[in-house]
Amino acid sequence: MTDPTNAVVGTPEASSETYGLHSGALGAAETLAQSVSATAPSTTSSLTIPLVFALAGNGTWLVYLMATAAMLLVGFCIGRFARRSASPGSLYSYTAQSLPPTFSALAAWGLLMAYLATGASVAGGALYYVNLLSHQFLHWAPPAVVTLAAVCGLAGYIAFRDVKLSAEVMLWIEVVSVALVMAVLAVLMFQMGLRLDPGQLKLTGVRVSALGPALVLSIFSFVGFESATTLGAEARNPLRTIPRAVLQCAVFSGMFFILCSYSEVLGFHGVPTNLAETSSPLHLLAGKAGVSGLGIGIDIGATISMFACVLACATAAARVMLRMSHEGILPRSLQKTNRIRGTPGSALAISTVLMFFATAVMASREITGFEMYDFAGSLAVFGFLTAYALVAAAVPFAEREFGRSSVWVTLVSGLTVVAMVFISIFDIRSNADPVHARIPLLYLIYAAIGLFIHFVRPKPRRI
């Protein structure tokens, strides 16, 4: 069931179908920047780790270790496709190669929701930090709608203007943000002395029942690590650079998150404020280490990093829309790309408008930026888990088509699917409050609408 509109398969060359995008515009570092920016690692160190700690306590580092292992399984499955096929359709294109159309359509709609919801989530996170910094220095904050419009609008403009420019912007933002975090942790560890934390190593006070819900939260730190696959038509040597970027991002992010979680929990020993209750843990730790200036820099860096993540999500979502449009799932008008800039202007406009609209509606209901980050992020996880599970399920069929079927690959594929299903179950069971409890139902309604469109739309002719 190979999709004839996909890239050339089995050769290290770029896609024969560029979809109007600039072929070979991005190098290895810029391709990696797409995935790293979508994960927004410095955001996790500031916002997500305290949430995970509230559940896992001294087991926070272990939760991130388990999440890293799960994402490496997903990365392995993605790599089996990425080494043979390159397309802006990302994981949707991979499932379309080997699974029935209904499943590939489900992957497409799930992935689209995932990128849009993640973009809305980090736009809310940017709003949170803009308000934090504004109150700190100006004792005033701009209206939420103005901040959200600026974040989404500027991200959409940069993504439209030039994919190479947007990739370079994302790269440098993340390099500086991560460097500031590492600098604070290094100074803190130097002052405290290099020592082990018995409480964390022995998992003191950790409840096994809390590890599942904590794992769900930690997964959101990784989602988007595969987004380099959306650059299949624009990366140079995509069959080499894209699978490397996906695995490199998973490994780098996992190591960074484990280090940050362990160091933050250790650093908060003796601090009257609980890590789970602080609004900016690294800012507080920078003050403890005597480098308060770096703490302010980290807050600024987190704000800009979230902007970079909005940019990465808009870039990825627009290319998924472009591919879905070529397949007849979305309107044909979304196939248009700018002849000069080689970017999908219509799809980018819709992506950023949807992100802004979702966050603006929440702001109108007096939902804070932090709550936007939490709610939209929880919704995004379901989209990613759907796409990850379907790609993993497609691997054995694709391997068989290429005559490379093996028991080992099939076992890894099955283990990945099981892991994604269990994480989904943990996610649903951990939603105790009314708002989070409605998120799975909201996603199911969205997926049902997507499948309805798939069944009723006219099927494109294959020649």
Side-chain angles (χ1 to χ4, degrees):
M1 195 178 295
T2 302
D3 186 345
T5 65
N6 274 347
V8 173
V9 176
T11 70
E13 302 301 324
S15 169
S16 60
E17 174 59 80
T18 64
Y19 300 88
L21 303 170
H22 282 172
S23 177
L26 303 177
E30 294 153 337
T31 304
L32 176 61
Q34 169 65 32
S35 279
V36 173
S37 296
T39 62
S42 58
T43 300
T44 286
S45 62
S46 299
L47 289 183
T48 312
I49 286 177
L51 294 174
V52 176
F53 175 80
L55 293 170
N58 282 324
T60 301
W61 69 271
L62 177 61
V63 168
Y64 272 103
L65 179 62
M66 292 189 294
T68 301
M71 291 302 101
L72 287 175
L73 287 174
V74 175
F76 170 84
C77 294
I78 292 173
R80 303 301 293 185
F81 286 102
R83 283 192 290 269
R84 298 182 184 135
S85 173
S87 162
S90 182
L91 308 190
Y92 159 54
S93 295
Y94 299 158
T95 57
Q97 293 177 29
S98 305
L99 295 181
T102 299
F103 293 101
S104 61
L106 183 60
W109 286 108
L111 195 62
L112 181 58
M113 168 59 81
Y115 287 134
L116 292 175
T118 300
S121 172
V122 290
L127 171 65
Y128 170 79
Y129 270 101
V130 166
N131 289 344
L132 187 71
L133 292 167
S134 297
H135 284 299
Q136 182 176 353
F137 292 105
L138 305 174
H139 307 290
W140 168 86
V145 173
V146 173
T147 300
L148 293 168
V151 169
C152 296
L154 183 57
Y157 172 73
I158 294 175
F160 168 74
R161 191 170 183 272
D162 184 6
V163 68
K164 185 175 177 64
L165 171 65
S166 65
E168 290 173 349
V169 168
M170 291 186 290
L171 176 63
W172 285 109
I173 286 174
E174 293 305 331
V175 167
V176 173
S177 298
V178 170
L180 287 172
V181 173
M182 294 300 293
V184 169
L185 295 181
V187 172
L188 184 66
M189 291 302 103
F190 177 78
Q191 291 189 352
M192 296 183 65
L194 296 176
R195 60 186 178 88
L196 299 177
D197 183 357
Q200 292 193 71
L201 296 179
K202 295 179 181 178
L203 303 178
T204 303
V206 176
R207 293 179 296 108
V208 175
S209 60
L211 294 181
L215 178 62
V216 173
L217 286 174
S218 68
I219 290 296
F220 184 60
S221 298
F222 288 88
V223 294
F225 83 103
E226 79 303 322
S227 65
T229 57
T230 64
L231 303 177
E234 295 158 288
R236 290 194 291 272
N237 300 315
L239 304 188
R240 287 195 293 268
T241 58
I242 289 176
R244 288 177 183 174
V246 170
L247 285 176
Q248 286 169 353
C249 183
V251 172
F252 163 77
S253 297
M255 293 174 61
F256 180 74
F257 297 150
I258 293 168
L259 173 64
C260 285
S261 59
Y262 184 88
S263 301
E264 288 182 33
V265 173
L266 177 61
F268 266 77
H269 288 341
V271 176
T273 304
N274 189 291
L275 173 59
E277 300 171 352
T278 181
S279 60
S280 184
L282 289 170
H283 191 144
L284 193 150
L285 290 178
K288 179 180 179 180
V291 286
S292 299
L294 286 180
I296 296 172
I298 285 175
D299 287 345
I300 295 173
T303 307
I304 302 175
S305 177
M306 290 185 192
F307 167 77
C309 188
V310 175
L311 176 56
C313 290
T315 299
R319 280 148 182 79
V320 173
M321 283 186 178
L322 176 71
R323 184 70 167 83
M324 291 172 70
S325 176
H326 276 273
E327 288 301 296
I329 300 175
L330 291 177
R332 294 177 60 85
S333 59
L334 295 178
Q335 297 180 19
K336 296 179 181 178
T337 55
N338 186 279
R339 292 184 180 181
I340 298 175
R341 305 188 184 282
T343 53
S346 299
L348 280 167
I350 291 178
S351 298
T352 50
V353 166
L354 287 174
M355 292 175 191
F356 167 71
F357 178 76
T359 51
V361 169
M362 286 189 279
S364 70
R365 299 175 65 86
E366 298 185 352
I367 294 175
T368 67
F370 183 82
E371 289 171 331
M372 293 179 195
Y373 178 82
D374 181 14
F375 297 156
S378 299
L379 178 62
V381 168
F382 283 104
F384 281 114
L385 291 175
T386 298
Y388 293 164
L390 289 171
V391 166
V395 168
F397 300 100
E399 295 287 305
R400 192 175 306 157
E401 290 177 7
F402 287 99
R404 294 187 177 183
S405 181
S406 72
V407 174
W408 183 73
V409 171
T410 302
L411 287 175
V412 173
S413 167
L415 180 61
T416 306
V417 173
V418 170
M420 297 304 104
V421 170
F422 269 103
I423 292 171
S424 299
I425 293 173
F426 283 136
D427 199 348
I428 295 171
R429 293 185 62 186
S430 65
N431 293 329
D433 64 278
V435 176
H436 285 89
R438 285 194 290 266
I439 290 176
L441 178 60
L442 179 63
Y443 178 74
L444 287 176
I445 293 172
Y446 165 82
I449 293 172
L451 288 178
F452 175 78
I453 294 173
H454 164 71
F455 286 120
V456 302
R457 71 181 174 91
K459 302 299 184 288
R461 292 185 177 181
R462 297 296 190 191
I463 299 177

Coordinates of all heavy atoms in Angstrom, one line a residue, residues 58-122:
N58 N 11.1 12.4 45.0 CA 12.5 12.0 44.7 C 12.7 11.0 43.5 O 13.8 10.7 43.2 CB 13.0 11.3 46.0 CG 13.4 12.3 47.1 OD1 13.9 13.3 46.8 ND2 13.2 11.9 48.3
G59 N 11.5 10.6 43.0 CA 11.6 9.7 41.8 C 11.5 10.5 40.5 O 11.4 9.9 39.4
T60 N 11.6 11.8 40.5 CA 11.5 12.6 39.3 C 12.5 12.2 38.3 O 12.2 12.1 37.1 CB 11.6 14.1 39.7 OG1 10.6 14.5 40.6 CG2 11.4 15.0 38.4
W61 N 13.7 12.1 38.7 CA 14.8 11.7 37.7 C 14.5 10.3 37.1 O 14.7 10.1 35.9 CB 16.2 11.7 38.4 CG 16.3 10.5 39.4 CD1 16.0 10.5 40.7 CD2 16.8 9.2 39.1 NE1 16.2 9.3 41.3 CE2 16.7 8.5 40.3 CE3 17.2 8.6 38.0 CZ2 17.1 7.2 40.4 CZ3 17.6 7.2 38.1 CH2 17.5 6.5 39.3
L62 N 13.9 9.4 37.9 CA 13.6 8.1 37.4 C 12.5 8.2 36.3 O 12.5 7.5 35.3 CB 13.2 7.1 38.5 CG 12.8 5.7 38.1 CD1 13.9 5.0 37.4 CD2 12.3 5.0 39.4
V63 N 11.5 9.0 36.6 CA 10.4 9.2 35.7 C 10.9 9.7 34.3 O 10.5 9.2 33.3 CB 9.4 10.2 36.2 CG1 8.4 10.6 35.2 CG2 8.6 9.6 37.4
Y64 N 11.8 10.6 34.4 CA 12.4 11.1 33.1 C 13.3 10.1 32.4 O 13.4 10.1 31.2 CB 13.2 12.4 33.4 CG 12.3 13.6 33.3 CD1 11.8 14.3 34.4 CD2 11.8 14.1 32.0 CE1 11.0 15.4 34.3 CE2 11.0 15.2 31.9 CZ 10.5 15.8 33.1 OH 9.7 16.9 32.9
L65 N 13.9 9.2 33.2 CA 14.7 8.1 32.6 C 13.7 7.2 31.9 O 14.0 6.8 30.7 CB 15.4 7.4 33.7 CG 16.3 6.2 33.2 CD1 17.4 6.6 32.3 CD2 16.9 5.4 34.4
M66 N 12.6 6.9 32.5 CA 11.6 6.0 31.8 C 11.0 6.7 30.6 O 10.8 6.0 29.5 CB 10.5 5.6 32.8 CG 10.9 4.7 33.9 SD 9.5 4.1 34.9 CE 8.9 5.6 35.7
A67 N 10.8 8.0 30.7 CA 10.2 8.7 29.5 C 11.3 8.7 28.4 O 10.9 8.6 27.2 CB 9.9 10.1 29.9
T68 N 12.5 8.9 28.7 CA 13.6 8.8 27.7 C 13.6 7.5 27.0 O 13.7 7.4 25.8 CB 14.9 9.1 28.3 OG1 14.9 10.4 29.0 CG2 16.1 9.1 27.3
A69 N 13.5 6.4 27.8 CA 13.5 5.1 27.2 C 12.3 4.9 26.2 O 12.4 4.4 25.1 CB 13.4 4.0 28.3
A70 N 11.1 5.4 26.6 CA 9.9 5.3 25.8 C 10.1 6.1 24.5 O 9.7 5.6 23.4 CB 8.7 5.8 26.5
M71 N 10.7 7.3 24.6 CA 10.9 8.1 23.4 C 12.0 7.5 22.5 O 11.9 7.7 21.2 CB 11.2 9.5 23.8 CG 10.1 10.3 24.4 SD 8.6 10.4 23.4 CE 7.6 9.1 24.1
L72 N 12.9 6.9 23.0 CA 14.0 6.2 22.2 C 13.3 5.0 21.4 O 13.7 4.8 20.3 CB 15.1 5.7 23.1 CG 16.1 6.8 23.6 CD1 17.1 6.2 24.5 CD2 16.7 7.5 22.4
L73 N 12.4 4.3 22.0 CA 11.6 3.3 21.3 C 10.9 3.9 20.1 O 10.9 3.4 19.0 CB 10.7 2.6 22.2 CG 11.2 1.6 23.3 CD1 10.1 1.2 24.2 CD2 11.9 0.5 22.6
V74 N 10.2 5.1 20.4 CA 9.5 5.7 19.3 C 10.5 6.2 18.2 O 10.2 6.1 17.0 CB 8.7 6.9 19.9 CG1 8.1 7.7 18.7 CG2 7.6 6.5 20.8
G75 N 11.6 6.8 18.7 CA 12.6 7.3 17.7 C 13.2 6.1 16.9 O 13.4 6.4 15.7
F76 N 13.3 5.0 17.4 CA 13.8 3.8 16.6 C 12.8 3.5 15.5 O 13.1 3.3 14.4 CB 14.0 2.6 17.5 CG 14.2 1.3 16.8 CD1 15.5 1.0 16.4 CD2 13.2 0.5 16.5 CE1 15.7 -0.2 15.7 CE2 13.4 -0.7 15.8 CZ 14.7 -1.0 15.4
C77 N 11.5 3.5 15.9 CA 10.4 3.2 14.9 C 10.4 4.3 13.8 O 10.2 4.0 12.6 CB 9.1 3.0 15.6 SG 9.0 1.6 16.7
I78 N 10.5 5.5 14.2 CA 10.5 6.6 13.2 C 11.7 6.5 12.3 O 11.6 6.7 11.1 CB 10.4 8.0 14.0 CG1 9.1 8.2 14.7 CG2 10.7 9.1 13.0 CD1 9.1 9.4 15.6
G79 N 12.8 6.1 12.9 CA 14.0 6.0 12.1 C 13.9 5.0 11.0 O 14.6 5.1 10.0
R80 N 13.2 3.9 11.3 CA 13.0 2.9 10.2 C 12.4 3.4 9.0 O 12.7 3.0 7.9 CB 12.2 1.7 10.8 CG 12.7 1.0 12.0 CD 14.1 0.5 11.9 NE 14.1 -0.7 11.0 CZ 15.2 -1.4 10.8 NH1 16.3 -1.1 11.4 NH2 15.2 -2.4 10.0
F81 N 11.5 4.4 9.1 CA 10.9 5.1 8.0 C 11.7 6.2 7.5 O 11.9 6.4 6.3 CB 9.5 5.6 8.4 CG 8.4 4.6 8.5 CD1 8.0 4.1 9.8 CD2 7.8 4.0 7.4 CE1 7.1 3.2 9.9 CE2 6.8 3.0 7.5 CZ 6.5 2.6 8.8
A82 N 12.3 7.0 8.4 CA 13.0 8.2 8.0 C 14.2 7.9 7.2 O 14.7 8.8 6.4 CB 13.4 9.0 9.2
R83 N 14.8 6.7 7.3 CA 16.0 6.4 6.5 C 15.6 6.0 5.1 O 16.5 5.8 4.2 CB 16.7 5.2 7.2 CG 17.6 5.7 8.4 CD 18.5 4.6 8.8 NE 17.8 3.5 9.4 CZ 17.6 3.4 10.7 NH1 17.9 4.3 11.5 NH2 16.9 2.3 11.2
R84 N 14.3 5.8 4.8 CA 13.9 5.4 3.5 C 13.0 6.4 2.8 O 12.8 6.3 1.6 CB 13.1 4.0 3.6 CG 14.0 2.9 4.1 CD 13.1 1.6 4.2 NE 13.9 0.6 4.8 CZ 13.4 -0.3 5.7 NH1 12.2 -0.1 6.1 NH2 14.1 -1.3 6.2
S85 N 12.3 7.3 3.5 CA 11.3 8.1 2.9 C 11.4 9.5 3.5 O 11.6 9.7 4.8 CB 9.9 7.5 3.1 OG 8.9 8.4 2.7
A86 N 11.2 10.6 2.7 CA 11.2 11.9 3.2 C 10.1 12.7 2.6 O 9.9 12.6 1.4 CB 12.6 12.6 2.8
S87 N 9.3 13.3 3.4 CA 8.1 14.0 3.0 C 7.7 15.0 4.0 O 7.9 14.8 5.2 CB 7.0 13.0 2.8 OG 5.7 13.7 2.7
P88 N 7.1 16.2 3.7 CA 6.6 17.1 4.7 C 5.4 16.6 5.5 O 5.0 17.2 6.5 CB 6.2 18.3 3.9 CG 5.9 17.8 2.5 CD 6.8 16.7 2.3
G89 N 4.9 15.4 5.1 CA 3.8 14.8 5.9 C 4.2 14.2 7.2 O 3.3 13.7 7.9
S90 N 5.5 14.0 7.4 CA 6.0 13.5 8.7 C 5.4 12.1 9.0 O 5.3 11.3 8.1 CB 5.6 14.5 9.8 OG 6.1 14.1 11.0
L91 N 5.0 11.9 10.2 CA 4.5 10.6 10.6 C 3.3 10.1 9.9 O 3.0 8.9 9.7 CB 4.2 10.6 12.1 CG 5.3 11.1 13.0 CD1 5.0 10.8 14.5 CD2 6.7 10.5 12.7
Y92 N 2.5 11.1 9.4 CA 1.3 10.7 8.6 C 1.8 10.0 7.3 O 1.2 8.9 6.9 CB 0.5 12.0 8.2 CG -0.4 11.8 7.0 CD1 -1.3 10.8 6.9 CD2 -0.3 12.7 5.9 CE1 -2.1 10.6 5.8 CE2 -1.1 12.6 4.8 CZ -2.0 11.5 4.8 OH -2.8 11.4 3.7
S93 N 2.8 10.5 6.6 CA 3.3 9.9 5.4 C 3.8 8.5 5.7 O 3.7 7.6 4.9 CB 4.4 10.7 4.8 OG 3.9 12.0 4.4
Y94 N 4.5 8.3 6.9 CA 5.0 7.0 7.2 C 3.9 6.0 7.4 O 4.0 4.8 6.9 CB 5.8 7.1 8.5 CG 7.0 8.0 8.4 CD1 7.6 8.5 9.6 CD2 7.6 8.3 7.2 CE1 8.7 9.4 9.5 CE2 8.7 9.2 7.1 CZ 9.2 9.7 8.3 OH 10.3 10.5 8.2
T95 N 2.8 6.3 8.1 CA 1.7 5.4 8.3 C 1.0 5.1 7.0 O 0.5 4.0 6.7 CB 0.7 5.9 9.3 OG1 0.2 7.2 8.9 CG2 1.3 6.1 10.7
A96 N 0.9 6.1 6.1 CA 0.2 6.0 4.8 C 0.9 4.9 3.9 O 0.3 4.3 3.0 CB 0.1 7.3 4.1
Q97 N 2.2 4.7 4.2 CA 2.9 3.7 3.3 C 2.5 2.3 3.6 O 2.6 1.4 2.7 CB 4.4 3.8 3.6 CG 5.1 5.2 3.2 CD 6.5 5.2 3.5 OE1 7.2 4.2 3.6 NE2 7.0 6.4 3.7
S98 N 2.1 2.0 4.9 CA 1.9 0.6 5.2 C 0.6 0.3 5.9 O 0.2 -0.9 6.0 CB 3.0 0.2 6.2 OG 4.3 0.4 5.6
L99 N -0.1 1.3 6.4 CA -1.4 1.0 7.1 C -2.6 1.4 6.2 O -2.4 2.2 5.3 CB -1.5 1.8 8.4 CG -0.5 1.4 9.5 CD1 -0.7 2.2 10.7 CD2 -0.5 -0.1 9.8
P100 N -3.8 0.8 6.4 CA -5.0 1.2 5.7 C -5.2 2.7 5.8 O -4.8 3.3 6.8 CB -6.1 0.4 6.3 CG -5.4 -0.8 6.9 CD -4.0 -0.3 7.4
P101 N -5.9 3.3 4.8 CA -6.1 4.8 4.8 C -6.7 5.3 6.1 O -6.5 6.4 6.5 CB -7.0 5.0 3.6 CG -6.6 3.8 2.7 CD -6.4 2.7 3.6
T102 N -7.6 4.5 6.7 CA -8.3 5.0 7.9 C -7.3 5.3 9.0 O -7.4 6.3 9.7 CB -9.4 4.0 8.4 OG1 -10.3 3.8 7.3 CG2 -10.0 4.4 9.6
F103 N -6.3 4.4 9.2 CA -5.4 4.6 10.2 C -4.4 5.7 9.9 O -4.0 6.5 10.8 CB -4.6 3.3 10.4 CG -5.4 2.2 11.0 CD1 -5.9 1.2 10.2 CD2 -5.7 2.1 12.4 CE1 -6.6 0.1 10.7 CE2 -6.5 1.1 12.9 CZ -6.9 0.1 12.1
S104 N -4.0 5.9 8.6 CA -3.2 7.0 8.3 C -3.9 8.3 8.4 O -3.3 9.3 8.8 CB -2.6 6.8 6.8 OG -3.7 6.8 5.9
A105 N -5.2 8.4 8.1 CA -6.0 9.6 8.3 C -6.0 9.9 9.8 O -5.9 11.1 10.2 CB -7.4 9.4 7.8
L106 N -6.2 8.9 10.7 CA -6.2 9.1 12.1 C -4.8 9.7 12.6 O -4.8 10.6 13.4 CB -6.5 7.8 12.8 CG -6.6 7.9 14.4 CD1 -7.7 8.9 14.8 CD2 -6.9 6.5 14.9
A107 N -3.8 9.2 12.0 CA -2.4 9.7 12.4 C -2.3 11.1 11.9 O -1.7 12.0 12.7 CB -1.4 8.8 11.7
A108 N -2.8 11.5 10.8 CA -2.7 12.8 10.2 C -3.5 13.8 11.1 O -2.9 14.9 11.5 CB -3.3 12.9 8.8
W109 N -4.7 13.5 11.5 CA -5.5 14.4 12.3 C -4.9 14.5 13.7 O -4.9 15.5 14.4 CB -6.9 13.9 12.4 CG -7.7 14.2 11.1 CD1 -8.1 13.3 10.2 CD2 -8.1 15.5 10.7 NE1 -8.8 13.9 9.2 CE2 -8.8 15.3 9.4 CE3 -8.0 16.8 11.2 CZ2 -9.4 16.3 8.7 CZ3 -8.6 17.8 10.4 CH2 -9.2 17.6 9.2
G110 N -4.4 13.3 14.2 CA -3.8 13.4 15.6 C -2.5 14.2 15.6 O -2.3 15.0 16.5
L111 N -1.7 14.1 14.6 CA -0.5 14.9 14.5 C -0.8 16.3 14.4 O -0.1 17.2 15.0 CB 0.4 14.4 13.4 CG 1.9 14.8 13.3 CD1 2.6 14.2 14.6 CD2 2.5 14.3 12.1
L112 N -1.7 16.7 13.5 CA -2.1 18.1 13.4 C -2.6 18.7 14.7 O -2.1 19.8 15.1 CB -3.2 18.2 12.3 CG -3.7 19.6 12.0 CD1 -2.5 20.5 11.5 CD2 -4.8 19.6 10.9
M113 N -3.4 18.0 15.4 CA -3.9 18.5 16.7 C -2.7 18.6 17.6 O -2.6 19.6 18.4 CB -4.9 17.5 17.3 CG -5.2 17.8 18.7 SD -5.9 19.4 19.1 CE -7.6 19.2 18.6
A114 N -1.8 17.7 17.6 CA -0.7 17.7 18.5 C 0.2 18.9 18.3 O 0.5 19.6 19.3 CB 0.2 16.4 18.3
Y115 N 0.5 19.3 17.1 CA 1.3 20.5 16.8 C 0.6 21.8 17.2 O 1.2 22.7 17.7 CB 1.8 20.5 15.4 CG 2.9 19.5 15.1 CD1 2.8 18.7 13.9 CD2 4.0 19.3 15.9 CE1 3.8 17.7 13.7 CE2 4.9 18.3 15.7 CZ 4.9 17.6 14.5 OH 5.8 16.6 14.3
L116 N -0.7 21.8 16.8 CA -1.5 23.0 17.1 C -1.6 23.2 18.6 O -1.5 24.4 19.1 CB -2.8 23.0 16.4 CG -2.8 23.0 14.8 CD1 -4.2 22.8 14.3 CD2 -2.2 24.4 14.4
A117 N -2.0 22.1 19.3 CA -2.2 22.3 20.7 C -0.9 22.6 21.5 O -0.9 23.3 22.4 CB -2.8 21.0 21.3
T118 N 0.2 22.0 21.0 CA 1.5 22.3 21.6 C 1.9 23.8 21.4 O 2.4 24.4 22.3 CB 2.6 21.4 21.0 OG1 2.3 20.0 21.3 CG2 4.0 21.7 21.7
G119 N 1.6 24.3 20.2 CA 1.9 25.7 19.9 C 1.0 26.6 20.8 O 1.5 27.6 21.4
A120 N -0.2 26.2 21.0 CA -1.1 27.0 21.9 C -0.6 26.9 23.4 O -0.6 27.9 24.1 CB -2.5 26.5 21.8
S121 N -0.1 25.7 23.7 CA 0.4 25.5 25.1 C 1.6 26.4 25.4 O 1.6 27.1 26.4 CB 0.8 24.0 25.3 OG 1.4 23.8 26.5
V122 N 2.5 26.4 24.5 CA 3.7 27.2 24.8 C 3.5 28.7 24.6 O 4.2 29.5 25.1 CB 4.9 26.7 23.9 CG1 5.4 25.4 24.4 CG2 4.6 26.7 22.5

